[in-house]
Amino acid sequence: MRFDWQWDFAWEILPRLLAATLNTLLAAGIGYAIAVVLGLVLALAQRTPWKPLTFIVREAVEFIRSTPLVLQIFFVFYVGPQFGIRLSPWTAGMIAIGLHYSAYLSEVYRAGIEAVPKGQWEACRALNMSTRDTYLRIVIPQALPPSVAGMGNYLVGIFKDTPMLSVIGVADVIFLAISLPAAGLVRLFEGFVRRKMGM
Amino acid sequence: MDHGDYPLELPEGDRPMVRFMNVTKRYGSLTVLDNLCLDVAEGEMVTVIGPSGSGKTTVLRMLMTLETINGGIIYVDGKPLTHMERNGRLVPADERHLRKMRSSIGMCFQHFNLFPHMTALQNCMEGPVQVLGLPKAEARARSEELLEMVGMIEKKDQHPSRLSGGQQQRVAIARALAMRPKVMLFDEVTSALDPEVIGEVTNVIRRLVGEHNLTMLMVTHQMGFARDISDRVCFFYRGKIEEQGPPDQLFGNPQRERTQQFLSAVKEAD
Amino acid sequence: MSIWEFLQTYGARIIDGTLVTAAQFVLATLVAVTAALAAALGKLSRNLAVRGLAVTYIELFRGTSLLVQLYWIFFVLPLFGITLDKFTAGFLSVGLNIGAYGAEIVRGAIQAVPKGQWEAAYALSMSPARRMRRIILPQALVLMLPPWGNLLIELLKGTALVSLISVADLMFQAKQINASTFLSAQAFGTALVVYYLLARFLITPAMRRLERVMAQRLGRA
């Protein structure tokens, strides 16, 4: 099998490729930012003394973690309009990724918080610190450093998952050409071959 | 006795700094403290000794409100600690009440529990600034004075990981004192230390006893130290005070068989 | 349309899709376990070529995303004369992807078996292969089962991507129903719930049970 690489076509689509890539990377970046913050909220919500909240959040995290991201992306994108909320593919993708990874990050934070020694909590009590200060000034600063490795892994994971956004058309198929080099090339080639052969 | 029957406040003239009345603590089916009654007078130094599992540490932890109690009541400075008044009756204390009452109590722990991400000075300033709302300059002056007293002023900018156990414990004492508590609790503060640095911590406590009018409650395994500095020693056995008295009497002429057994066992181990 | 009417109308297709997903799951699991075991042993091998091959596989499949791998295996391999039907390409991709992660788990578990066990087997003059099979792997198995439980959930989720090469799995059916009816909440919602039920009430309990059985066999329970 032989293909002809057509430079003029490649140049022609380059701006579109770049724009699509930028858009998707931005969605991933913002999605991650959502996940970093929402994950902490989910982790802290599981530590409130109010049991029903703890239970609901725990189950929600389990649910998000055990269902496929690609399905969640579809769900967020298509279900909104049914209730009158129209989301652009970009927004939907961002929300889905943010939600999905916030469940994972909440587990990272949870482990980090649980690893803070009991003595630290007791020292805060002995100094009569409020719950808010205990978390903000003592517990979270100690829980974050050990969480960084896990947070980094999931950042890599998000970038690996961004091609999935193509399923709802955040980037058109051409985006796949850059994020999935080989597969994309095949598609481009297919296009060329078809065009040349008048198919 | 229902907790509604305890006085809302101890009467003038009968107001020890700390009073345990019929305090009971259970973990599941295990009773750690059984109807404990104990008074500590203002400025008094009371040491609690006893075999492990006798409930002695629990006494301090309840007073610091790290543990809830299952029965009885604790008063601090005449006011109920574990309970609060509602419509003229005592009900179990809520977090707000506990926070208000806790401010008069300070505690030092076996494992120091310094905040690892803060320097010695920051550890001492944390409570005064965040909890008491002191201006930074004032909190700093107070903290430096206390670090000076415990002999740690040169190390004030070090993080705990750079300090020895004895040094960490001295910073922890300064940190607790910076809150200006009326009652100080020492929970086996020398148990995690290497033998050669125990002296530097006990010397600080000795100075406190000599120079300040603090009420102190201490759990320790160091009998010699307890004998030196206590006004009174309580020997705990199976969740009860088996025997108590002035140190010379309790160590020199113990009346109860359990006390004699414990003291001779400790002496043999030395 | 109520959810009950929806299920009455489209339940059969949901079930068809679920069965395809289950088949993909089982086959991909077989691929993943085989690949993980081979790659882990390869990475621990003294033979440089074998080790290189194992490391390449692991890094390649862990370093890129499953979607890329799926497209490669389905669209690119044919260029090299290897043509796979979409069903096979599907479970093969998912299995190989998860297998690369599994390899690290297997390797970690093998290396976590105490040194004394290796030495004891050596002292009995067992051959390396017999030592691995009779002494080390059974003990490593107990250690690696809990992380495998999590990995199998990831695998189940991974199978949803095969719908993108038109394997008629649960995800694919949900998409089809959505496209023809616009009942998005019902279609995707039902699929989400089915995946959740499979993960939470089938895979997780099964793995827990396997953990107990294996622990008992080793006399640890």
Side-chain angles (χ1 to χ4, degrees):
Chain A
M1 272 194 253
R2 280 196 62 237
F3 303 104
D4 294 319
W5 177 252
Q6 297 192 341
W7 280 106
D8 49 348
F9 184 75
W11 282 118
E12 194 186 303
I13 62 167
L14 198 60
R16 276 174 67 202
L17 278 178
L18 286 177
T21 309
L22 226 58
N23 261 343
T24 318
L25 290 185
L26 208 58
I30 296 177
Y32 189 66
I34 294 175
V36 165
V37 177
L38 188 60
L40 191 58
V41 173
L42 293 178
L44 293 178
Q46 289 176 60
R47 298 188 63 91
T48 56
W50 199 50
K51 290 295 160 217
L53 180 70
T54 305
F55 176 80
I56 290 168
V57 174
R58 175 85 240 128
E59 287 303 307
V61 166
E62 281 299 323
F63 188 92
I64 295 173
R65 272 161 32 98
S66 46
T67 50
L69 173 59
V70 65
L71 184 50
Q72 290 166 6
I73 292 174
F74 271 96
F75 188 88
V76 172
F77 182 58
Y78 284 105
V79 171
Q82 240 179 333
F83 301 95
I85 310 162
R86 282 209 68 86
L87 296 173
S88 71
W90 199 78
T91 317
M94 219 165 56
I95 292 176
I97 281 196
L99 210 64
H100 190 77
Y101 277 90
S102 68
Y104 280 92
L105 283 180
S106 79
E107 293 290 285
V108 172
Y109 295 134
R110 208 165 64 104
I113 291 173
E114 275 166 16
V116 173
K118 217 172 125 238
Q120 293 291 313
W121 296 89
E122 295 185 346
C124 292
R125 273 220 116 178
L127 288 177
N128 208 11
M129 292 174 79
S130 64
T131 309
R132 186 174 156 270
D133 277 350
T134 301
Y135 273 104
L136 285 182
R137 301 196 48 88
I138 307 301
V139 174
I140 292 176
Q142 291 184 63
L144 278 184
S147 304
V148 166
M151 291 169 76
N153 283 343
Y154 287 124
L155 179 60
V156 173
I158 277 195
F159 280 112
K160 280 199 283 184
D161 278 347
T162 44
M164 257 185 230
L165 290 182
S166 65
V167 296
I168 50 168
V170 162
D172 48 56
V173 168
I174 290 204
F175 167 71
L176 289 173
I178 205 163
S179 69
L180 322 170
L185 283 180
V186 176
R187 295 192 148 209
L188 283 181
F189 288 139
E190 272 180 354
F192 299 155
V193 173
R194 289 218 177 102
R195 214 168 298 152
K196 279 199 164 173
M197 297 176 74
M199 280 165 72
Chain B
M1 199 148 87
D2 177 43
H3 56 238
D5 303 332
Y6 291 106
L8 296 179
E9 200 162 317
L10 295 181
E12 209 64 55
D14 182 27
R15 291 188 125 185
M17 184 52 85
V18 176
R19 167 167 287 175
F20 290 85
M21 276 177 92
N22 310 101
V23 172
T24 299
K25 174 70 186 173
R26 281 183 295 267
Y27 294 113
S29 60
L30 179 75
T31 302
V32 220
L33 283 177
D34 190 5
N35 257 311
L36 173 73
C37 294
L38 173 69
D39 283 4
V40 182
E42 190 179 349
E44 195 183 14
M45 166 58 133
V46 174
T47 301
V48 177
I49 62 170
S52 59
S54 59
K56 51 193 191 322
T57 287
T58 309
V59 174
L60 300 196
R61 292 176 60 83
M62 290 185 317
L63 195 47
M64 192 67 256
T65 69
L66 294 170
E67 311 272 354
T68 55
I69 63 175
N70 302 108
I73 186 168
I74 304 174
Y75 292 90
V76 174
D77 205 10
K79 297 188 198 68
L81 167 77
T82 51
H83 296 75
M84 60 182 184
E85 189 213 309
R86 186 168 289 161
N87 304 326
R89 280 176 57 89
L90 285 177
V91 295
D94 62 12
E95 182 57 28
R96 225 174 105 216
H97 178 81
L98 288 179
R99 277 204 78 195
K100 204 176 86 206
M101 292 301 294
R102 254 199 317 254
S103 60
S104 49
I105 308 167
M107 182 169 184
C108 293
F109 301 87
Q110 181 177 356
H111 296 288
F112 336 126
N113 299 349
L114 288 180
F115 303 134
H117 56 303
M118 299 180 182
T119 64
L121 182 64
Q122 287 169 338
N123 261 282
C124 294
M125 289 171 61
E126 181 68 13
V129 172
Q130 299 298 328
V131 180
L132 305 180
L134 249 53
K136 277 211 169 145
E138 195 181 335
R140 177 185 294 268
R142 182 190 282 193
S143 299
E144 285 179 343
E145 189 182 314
L146 286 163
L147 284 171
E148 178 83 56
M149 189 201 81
V150 300
M152 288 297 297
I153 192 71
E154 283 90 45
K155 304 268 187 188
K156 69 185 168 78
D157 294 323
Q158 302 279 2
H159 281 84
S161 57
R162 304 286 298 275
L163 303 176
S164 73
Q167 293 172 328
Q168 289 190 52
Q169 194 60 285
R170 284 187 279 152
V171 173
I173 293 172
R175 179 176 76 176
L177 290 173
M179 299 296 283
R180 298 269 156 92
K182 293 182 190 154
V183 183
M184 271 288 281
L185 310 174
F186 295 97
D187 185 14
E188 301 194 28
V189 286
T190 56
S191 296
L193 298 179
D194 291 330
E196 72 270 19
V197 300
I198 288 179
E200 60 189 59
V201 172
T202 52
N203 282 338
V204 167
I205 300 177
R206 261 179 233 274
R207 275 192 65 186
L208 282 180
V209 173
E211 299 170 13
H212 296 260
N213 192 36
L214 261 174
T215 307
M216 289 188 255
L217 201 52
M218 176 170 83
V219 171
T220 188
H221 291 293
Q222 288 197 282
M223 299 306 152
F225 179 53
R227 188 170 186 165
D228 278 1
I229 69 157
S230 312
D231 297 312
R232 181 157 48 111
V233 179
C234 299
F235 172 65
F236 267 69
Y237 189 80
R238 296 214 172 145
K240 280 179 182 295
I241 298 177
E242 180 82 9
E243 183 172 355
Q244 57 177 316
D248 285 337
Q249 184 196 314
L250 192 120
F251 287 111
N253 185 22
Q255 302 298 305
R256 313 274 301 194
E257 203 188 330
R258 301 276 189 215
T259 322
Q260 292 160 5
Q261 280 173 355
F262 174 74
L263 290 176
S264 66
V266 170
K267 197 173 279 173
E268 254 171 58
D270 262 349
Chain C
M1 190 183 229
S2 80
I3 187 71
W4 295 118
E5 288 170 292
F6 175 82
L7 286 178
Q8 273 168 6
T9 318
Y10 297 103
R13 284 172 70 180
I14 300 276
I15 289 171
D16 283 349
T18 306
L19 289 177
V20 173
T21 290
Q24 284 278 327
F25 174 80
V26 171
L27 292 167
T29 301
L30 290 177
V31 172
V33 170
T34 313
L37 201 59
L41 293 176
K43 197 170 174 179
L44 293 171
S45 157
R46 252 179 259 168
N47 185 316
L48 200 67
V50 173
R51 207 161 66 223
L53 198 68
V55 170
T56 309
Y57 159 67
I58 294 172
E59 292 308 318
L60 197 69
F61 277 81
R62 270 161 45 108
T64 58
S65 74
L66 172 56
L67 189 58
V68 176
Q69 292 152 23
L70 188 68
Y71 276 54
W72 256 85
I73 287 174
F74 188 61
F75 290 117
V76 182
L77 282 190
L79 298 182
F80 300 98
I82 307 168
T83 305
L84 298 170
D85 65 282
K86 56 193 182 191
F87 187 84
T88 312
F91 74 77
L92 204 61
S93 312
V94 177
L96 287 175
N97 176 268
I98 296 295
Y101 290 89
E104 293 294 299
I105 293 177
V106 174
R107 186 182 59 90
I110 288 175
Q111 285 178 331
V113 174
K115 210 167 149 235
Q117 294 293 315
W118 297 76
E119 290 173 351
Y122 188 79
L124 292 172
S125 61
M126 282 189 180
S127 70
R130 179 178 298 264
R131 179 177 61 189
M132 186 56 78
R133 213 176 56 239
R134 303 277 314 157
I135 308 298
I136 305 302
L137 275 184
Q139 298 184 54
L141 193 59
V142 177
L143 297 174
M144 69 174 90
L145 280 178
W148 266 103
N150 285 333
L151 200 56
L152 288 186
I153 306 283
E154 294 300 318
L155 188 147
L156 174 71
K157 288 157 61 182
T159 62
L161 289 182
V162 302
S163 66
L164 300 181
I165 55 170
S166 303
V167 176
D169 74 335
L170 178 55
M171 172 80 206
F172 184 82
Q173 296 289 4
K175 263 190 334 187
Q176 295 283 305
I177 298 170
N178 176 62
S180 57
T181 64
F182 298 106
L183 295 168
S184 307
Q186 290 89 329
F188 293 127
T190 309
L192 279 172
V193 169
V194 173
Y195 277 110
Y196 177 66
L197 294 178
L198 288 177
R200 188 85 195 263
F201 297 103
L202 219 61
I203 298 173
T204 304
M207 287 304 287
R208 289 277 146 76
R209 189 169 184 153
L210 193 61
E211 282 168 34
R212 271 204 307 279
V213 170
M214 294 315 294
Q216 265 165 10
R217 283 212 182 161
L218 269 191
R220 287 198 187 155

